[in-house]
Amino acid sequence: KLHREYTFSDFVDAFAFMTAAALCAERKNHHPEWFNVYNRVRVDLSTHDAGGITTWDVELAGEFDRLAAR
């Protein structure tokens, strides 16, 4: 799995990231495993059908990093 933990200033910023990331994931039809507590979001990406990491995961991780940097 590709694993990343993001930390934001507060819950609202974390939730805004998750909302934007969810819309991105839905457009790509590739959905993360994630967990949120207050200002932290943990994301794990893998392609279950392929049994591991694929270019889909790498591309989505890049999108999530760009969203988190805003």
Side-chain angles (χ1 to χ4, degrees):
K1 291 183 181 181
L2 291 179
H3 176 82
R4 173 84 70 184
E5 294 189 23
Y6 299 99
T7 302
F8 299 93
S9 61
D10 56 25
F11 177 74
V12 171
D13 285 345
F15 197 88
F17 164 78
M18 290 182 73
T19 301
L23 293 172
C24 179
E26 186 64 19
R27 280 192 302 275
K28 294 180 177 292
N29 194 31
H30 193 62
H31 305 94
E33 176 181 319
W34 58 11
F35 182 75
N36 166 248
V37 174
Y38 184 60
N39 68 334
R40 293 176 289 122
V41 179
R42 183 182 70 219
V43 178
D44 291 313
L45 293 168
S46 66
T47 302
H48 300 287
D49 294 347
I53 298 169
T54 66
T55 56
W56 286 65
D57 303 299
V58 174
E59 290 173 7
L60 192 56
E63 291 289 328
F64 287 179
D65 284 348
R66 283 187 281 286
L67 290 170
R70 290 184 181 173

